[in-house]
Amino acid sequence: MTIVEIAKQFQVDREPLAAEPYGCGHINDTYCVTAKDKRYILQRINNRVFPNVAGLMDNIQRVTDMLREQVVAAGGDPDRECLQIIPTKDGKSYLEHEGSYYRMYVFVERTLSLQTVEDPVHFYYSAVAFGRFQKQLAQFPADTLCEVIPNFHNTASRYEAFEAAVARDAMGRAAEVQKEIEFVRARKADTTKIVDLLASGELPLRVTHNDTKLNNVLLDDVTGKPMAVIDLDTVMPGSSLYDFGDSIRFGTNPCAEDEKDLSKVFCQVNLFEEFTKGYLEACGDSLTAKEKELLPFGGYLMTLECGIRFLADYLDGDTYFKIHYPEQNLDRCHTQFKLAADIMDKMDELCAIVKKYDK
Ligand code: ADP
Ligand code: GN1
Ligand code: MG
């Protein structure tokens, strides 16, 4: 079946006419399906990354149901302010066809999904969106969520997986990336910090998004105000430091994740400040003192972790993240390591900013 034919298997209110690849995600295949006067989002779910599609879609169905209730209760517009699944003709949340899995969403029109921050206010609003998202799900029964990727942000187990990839050296690439391998090993002690504090109860476990890249929030294309938080595949129990940190990783760097000119890669402190302001305004009253203290460290650790994952995938032969040219994962790893080091160098300044907005 073509993508248009797949789209016709869902409860669409207009006949799908055309489909084209859409967006810049590294995991799923996303298509924009057009009909007369209407568009839809259709995604082929990456079931190598998410083997339990039924569990994943059950999570998303229940999370979007709760988000919708909250948006309605707050007097918002549920058609624009939360993601909405379009069921299949037989009432399921996804379609299975010849070993592939598809889902469909309402297309949230008149929005921006940004790859880099063009106007600082956009970053501020993305922080409001992710902070609000966490609050909206505060009452969600976390233990009923399926852990779609176990240990997703467990940086200590990401470190172990990286060492296993070095040992396997499946593509014979380890020799050429010795400097990068040493960069990771020198920071091994950092990788256990958040997981240890979660295990000891010094940091609370929350329902978090876990993939808070700027392009995973849709902003109104006129006002910049936050509309729907999207890409809910990784909503799972986690730490607020993961959500804060991953946004800092992606949004404070002025370049793309695969920028080759590392002199352009750094943490823009003014953008860190914008994000901190928005995040603390939206959910600061529910964060503990320990969480607030460690927010900048979360930015550092999520950046280091992402670099470790790109490097491990490069060593394994690029089996996880989509690549568009051979050394892309290595380029991505370089930007993350440069940025992680820069965030660490600026740590005192960043901690002072958190204190400034901690009301
Ligand atoms: P991935 O997991 O591969 O990153 P996403 O769910 O983030 O996939 O979708 C990829 C891109 O498609 C997003 O960055 C956004 O630009 C666009 N997109 C996804 N869902 C919607 C939607 N409901 N309305 C409008 N655009 C969307
Ligand atoms: C992936 O799905 P996407 O492109 O938003 C990845 C994130 C990484 C990110 C790096 C399920 O996010 O964890 O931080 O790439 N998602 C998954 O850009 O692994
Ligand atoms: Mg995405």
Side-chain angles (χ1 to χ4, degrees):
M1 271 199 275
T2 63
I3 293 298
V4 170
E5 282 161 335
I6 297 281
K8 289 181 184 169
Q9 311 304 309
F10 290 80
Q11 292 182 26
V12 282
D13 46 9
R14 305 267 203 295
E15 191 194 351
L17 300 173
E20 56 184 44
Y22 194 76
C24 303
H26 293 344
I27 305 293
N28 298 308
D29 294 331
T30 302
Y31 300 89
C32 171
V33 173
T34 42
K36 190 169 179 293
D37 305 326
K38 189 141 188 187
R39 300 194 286 180
Y40 304 94
I41 288 284
L42 181 81
Q43 288 182 317
R44 191 166 78 90
I45 302 165
N46 184 330
N47 64 315
R48 203 166 31 77
V49 168
F50 300 110
N52 181 0
V53 175
L56 168 88
M57 289 309 296
D58 180 60
N59 280 358
I60 296 182
Q61 183 73 66
R62 289 184 303 121
V63 164
T64 52
D65 285 349
M66 180 173 249
L67 292 172
R68 194 179 168 83
E69 273 170 32
Q70 304 265 330
V71 169
V72 170
D77 176 357
D79 290 338
R80 301 195 77 215
E81 293 174 35
C82 59
L83 202 52
Q84 229 174 294
I85 296 175
I86 299 175
T88 62
K89 285 198 164 141
D90 50 10
K92 284 183 69 189
S93 59
Y94 65 95
L95 174 82
E96 183 183 355
H97 176 68
E98 291 180 348
S100 287
Y101 297 84
Y102 300 88
R103 66 178 168 219
M104 203 167 208
Y105 289 124
V106 169
F107 194 108
V108 185
E109 295 287 356
R110 292 171 285 117
T111 57
L112 305 167
S113 163
L114 298 169
Q115 304 309 319
T116 52
V117 176
E118 290 157 14
D119 178 340
V121 80
H122 291 146
F123 202 40
Y124 164 80
Y125 279 134
S126 77
V128 172
F130 287 123
R132 187 189 289 163
F133 180 86
Q134 198 180 291
K135 274 202 127 167
Q136 288 169 326
L137 294 178
Q139 302 311 319
F140 194 96
D143 55 346
T144 65
L145 278 172
C146 150
E147 204 181 347
V148 281
I149 303 180
N151 294 319
F152 188 61
H153 280 311
N154 182 329
T155 316
S157 69
R158 294 288 184 186
Y159 182 89
E160 298 307 326
F162 150 79
E163 284 290 4
V166 176
R168 271 194 304 276
D169 195 14
M171 308 297 289
R173 291 173 169 175
E176 85 184 69
V177 293
Q178 280 307 305
K179 259 194 9 233
E180 292 81 353
I181 291 172
E182 285 318 312
F183 182 95
V184 178
R185 289 183 173 155
R187 288 160 183 78
K188 180 178 179 187
D190 296 334
T191 64
T192 54
K193 190 159 170 174
I194 294 181
V195 280
D196 285 353
L197 291 169
L198 284 169
S200 69
E202 285 165 86
L203 281 174
L205 200 64
R206 302 181 182 280
V207 174
T208 47
H209 182 283
N210 296 306
D211 189 6
T212 52
K213 300 204 291 199
L214 178 65
N215 60 17
N216 284 333
V217 56
L218 301 177
L219 304 173
D220 184 279
D221 64 1
V222 176
T223 63
K225 290 200 173 155
M227 295 292 128
V229 167
I230 59 168
D231 207 345
L232 304 180
D233 294 327
T234 51
V235 174
M236 281 180 286
S239 166
S240 58
L241 306 181
Y242 302 156
D243 280 4
F244 182 89
D246 200 49
S247 280
I248 295 305
R249 172 188 80 74
F250 191 80
T252 64
N253 166 26
C255 329
E257 266 176 354
D258 57 359
E259 173 63 51
K260 284 180 187 290
D261 180 355
L262 293 181
S263 70
K264 294 182 182 161
V265 175
F266 66 104
C267 169
Q268 300 175 94
V269 174
N270 68 316
L271 292 186
F272 179 91
E273 180 157 354
E274 288 292 332
F275 195 88
T276 301
K277 182 168 167 263
Y279 195 74
L280 291 182
E281 275 173 19
C283 73
D285 56 350
S286 59
L287 298 182
T288 66
K290 194 74 185 166
E291 284 176 296
K292 287 182 212 164
E293 174 197 326
L294 288 173
L295 288 173
F297 181 81
Y300 160 77
L301 195 65
M302 287 300 97
T303 310
L304 177 67
E305 179 189 279
C306 198
I308 293 174
R309 293 175 61 197
F310 287 141
L311 182 56
D313 197 34
Y314 180 70
L315 288 165
D316 277 340
D318 311 300
T319 60
Y320 186 93
F321 295 104
K322 277 188 205 166
I323 55 165
H324 307 287
Y325 61 87
E327 304 225 308
Q328 193 170 12
N329 273 320
L330 187 57
D331 287 341
R332 289 170 175 156
C333 153
H334 289 153
T335 62
Q336 301 305 294
F337 288 174
K338 169 82 195 288
L339 182 64
D342 191 50
I343 294 176
M344 194 42 102
D345 286 347
K346 293 172 175 161
M347 194 49 82
D348 290 347
E349 200 182 343
L350 304 182
C351 288
I353 291 172
V354 173
K355 284 216 178 80
K356 177 174 160 191
Y357 290 96
D358 181 12
K359 302 263 160 50

